[in-house]
Amino acid sequence: MRELILKMSVSLDGFVGGPEGEIEWVFSGDQEAIAWSVETVGNASLHIMGSRTFQDMAAFWPTSTQVFAPPMNRIPKAVFSKQGPAVLKAAEATRALEDARTDAGSTHSGKLQPGADSWSEAYVASGDLADEIARLKSRDGKPILAHGGAAFARSLIAEGLVDQYALLVHPVVLGRGLPIFSDVAPPKRLKLISSTAFPGGSVAQIYRPA
């Protein structure tokens, strides 16, 4: 059985993006925080995400030379969407994608990187969320890593499908934005497994359901 880890960058006031999906603040982490994120992303046998996040990432990572690109491209994907296979062909010009491209700067090439074809070969999960997750968890291997977006993360949390939360909390207050815990029936108790503070002020918090 594989566990499902939800990895998200979160502001101090609990948002994973601004009101319009702005995520430029996510890219301000120091090198130690980045190294932690790369290790976490790489320690998975499957990456799962909602359709908008998939479309953003599928438009970004195949030609990226950032340190995240190798695990993001080489590890198999599953996208959750009611569109069916059509979701594999579309790419949206969202605010999150614009922020990521701006941050990428010169670490973006016009050449496909190793493993880039994994995006077009992603498994499309269009059935019941809990049934699809149960099917993916039933296989052996490293954990399943869920990336979001916010609505997809909220659904996973509300259904009780998350086995571990890997939250990189950034030292920024957004005031308003996209939450991920708004659909739970409170109180939802979590057990802190570890906490790692980085020089730039970000803190990696690992939780499991209590």
Side-chain angles (χ1 to χ4, degrees), residues 160-181:
L161 302 174
V162 178
D163 300 300
Q164 181 174 296
Y165 297 85
L167 306 179
L168 184 59
V169 183
H170 293 256
V172 60
V173 176
L174 300 181
R176 58 195 183 98
L178 304 175
I180 58 172
F181 290 104

Side-chain angles (χ1 to χ4, degrees), residues 51 80-84 124-129:
S51 59
F80 285 71
S81 173
K82 299 299 184 182
Q83 298 179 48
V124 180
S126 54
D128 175 78
L129 177 63

Side-chain angles (χ1 to χ4, degrees), residues 56-119:
D56 281 352
M57 289 189 172
F60 181 85
W61 288 116
T63 56
S64 174
T65 57
Q66 289 189 9
V67 292
F68 288 97
M72 288 305 303
N73 284 325
R74 290 172 176 160
I75 294 174
K77 321 290 184 300
V79 53
F80 285 71
S81 173
K82 299 299 184 182
Q83 298 179 48
V87 72
L88 301 180
K89 300 179 181 179
E92 297 184 1
T94 64
R95 179 61 182 272
L97 178 56
E98 293 172 5
D99 288 344
R101 282 177 172 162
T102 299
D103 177 73
S106 61
T107 61
H108 218 73
S109 75
K111 298 170 61 176
L112 291 176
Q113 300 300 303
D117 55 355
S118 68
W119 295 97

